[in-house]
Amino acid sequence: MQTYDPKKVARVWERVQNHGGMEMLPELIGMEWLDAMTYMALSRRFQGRDSQLLRQLAQQEQDHAACLRGIYTLATGRRPVVSTPVMPKEDPEALLRKSYGSHMQRLARYEARKEDPEYGQIFSQLAQQERDQCQKLLALLGRMNK
């Protein structure tokens, strides 16, 4: 007869019950969508390469949201329920500052998931992309004239 490690069984059972910690994904999807909406709206207020950069960032955020929806669907067998975010009405600099903070939150959460046995590499890649986006946001903020 085969014996089981009760601690290991408890960890596996907890993962199954919590869908591997996937309950945080709908919130992250909403954060990604809010930033995508923000960048698209801001791209209309900027010109030249900064407008183009904001459109690229918006597309990347949409791609991140789609990837997270895919992970959630595979892990849980259901589509995530995500409420439509409402974009705040603030000046461009304030929106970019909030967006930077949102990126830092997601970066920390993606970094924390890098060891996930199924999706760790994806979370690692998302974390790197968040770092790159933070750098672009800082450069954009640095080019802004008050």
Side-chain angles (χ1 to χ4, degrees):
M1 185 164 149
Q2 195 174 22
T3 61
Y4 296 98
D5 178 358
K7 289 181 183 179
K8 191 179 237 182
V9 171
R11 282 193 310 267
V12 170
W13 183 243
E14 180 180 349
R15 184 167 181 244
V16 168
Q17 287 180 314
N18 291 330
H19 302 295
M22 297 298 154
E23 64 279 349
M24 64 27 162
L25 289 184
E27 178 187 357
L28 292 172
I29 294 166
M31 292 171 76
E32 296 283 2
W33 270 112
L34 178 59
D35 279 348
M37 290 170 37
T38 300
Y39 297 149
M40 281 307 292
L42 287 175
S43 74
R44 296 180 199 102
R45 298 173 74 178
F46 284 76
Q47 295 180 3
R49 76 175 181 170
D50 289 340
S51 177
Q52 181 180 359
L53 171 63
L54 287 161
R55 285 191 305 274
Q56 289 171 347
L57 287 171
Q59 182 60 56
Q60 288 174 353
E61 300 295 40
Q62 290 172 6
D63 291 345
H64 288 182
C67 180
L68 294 172
R69 281 193 321 268
I71 291 172
Y72 186 90
T73 302
L74 279 177
T76 67
R78 303 183 318 269
R79 294 281 180 194
V81 176
V82 180
S83 57
T84 304
V86 177
M87 196 176 103
K89 296 183 187 319
E90 297 180 49
D91 69 270
E93 184 174 332
L95 288 171
L96 290 173
R97 286 175 182 265
K98 277 188 175 181
S99 202
Y100 182 82
S102 177
H103 279 280
M104 293 303 292
Q105 287 179 18
R106 290 192 308 269
L107 172 59
R109 291 169 98 178
Y110 296 153
E111 286 284 342
R113 297 300 308 253
K114 285 179 16 176
E115 300 303 318
D116 183 283
E118 292 181 67
Y119 306 106
Q121 290 184 4
I122 302 303
F123 285 114
S124 181
Q125 185 175 1
L126 288 169
Q128 182 57 51
Q129 290 171 355
E130 292 294 331
R131 278 189 208 87
D132 294 342
Q133 290 170 335
C134 284
Q135 181 180 359
K136 290 174 183 174
L137 284 175
L138 290 173
L140 180 60
L141 280 163
R143 288 192 295 271
M144 286 181 71
N145 293 325
K146 271 287 194 176

